[in-house]
Amino acid sequence: MRPTRIRDLIAVAVVIGVAAYLFVWWQYRSLPQVPLTASVSVFLVGLIELQTASLTRQRLAGRPGTKPIMPITVARLAALAKASSVVAAALLGAWTALLVYTAPRTDEFGTAGRDALAAGLGLGAAMVLLAGGLLLERVCRVPKK
């Protein structure tokens, strides 16, 4: 498995962002209001991945008080990290599209202000997930000898 490339993540974010913007532009009036808690689970998964990266680093380094980690576990964590970073990039694109659409239209639509706030929270949560995924993937790399 190759390391995640930043340009691939940017491409995913742009494609999803454009598609989401077009969808929101076309259907915003008929969409339900976005709950402010929509991004909580993404934020929690990002925090868990950051914690897992820290623990995995300690276990791979053989620090005292840690158990050795099985190679298959490291491979699974690397796959999880790669998938998480791609999902985070897609979420960044979608939340950005919603924010770009709703922020200038707070006077036009009654729900736009709250949707813009939800989109801002979603952007923050997606960034935490992206950081967690990229850090965990970096920790799981085989060192060069």
Side-chain angles (χ1 to χ4, degrees):
M1 179 169 39
R2 291 191 151 146
T4 302
R5 295 184 300 196
I6 299 301
R7 70 175 181 211
D8 293 342
L9 296 178
I10 292 171
V12 168
V14 168
V15 168
I16 297 297
V18 168
Y21 185 85
L22 291 174
F23 178 76
V24 169
W25 172 77
W26 181 50
Q27 289 288 318
Y28 186 72
R29 289 185 187 267
S30 63
L31 292 174
Q33 187 173 8
V34 179
L36 292 176
T37 58
S39 58
V40 170
S41 59
V42 174
F43 179 73
L44 291 175
V45 170
L47 288 179
I48 290 168
E49 284 195 11
L50 287 169
Q51 179 66 25
T52 302
S54 174
L55 294 173
T56 303
R57 177 182 286 140
Q58 291 174 6
R59 291 178 71 182
L60 285 171
R63 296 229 172 111
T66 62
K67 294 180 182 179
I69 191 166
M70 296 183 67
I72 189 69
T73 303
V74 176
R76 289 176 179 160
L77 288 174
L80 171 69
K82 191 164 180 85
S84 294
S85 61
V86 172
V87 169
L91 288 172
L92 278 170
W95 285 121
T96 301
L98 182 62
L99 184 62
V100 166
Y101 184 82
T102 57
R105 292 175 175 81
T106 55
D107 295 334
E108 186 179 343
F109 301 111
T111 60
R114 188 160 175 176
D115 285 348
L117 177 59
L121 293 172
L123 274 172
M127 287 182 197
V128 170
L129 180 62
L130 182 63
L134 291 175
L135 182 63
L136 182 58
E137 181 182 341
R138 185 172 181 84
V139 166
C140 293
R141 287 184 187 164
V142 175
K144 294 180 182 178
K145 292 185 179 188

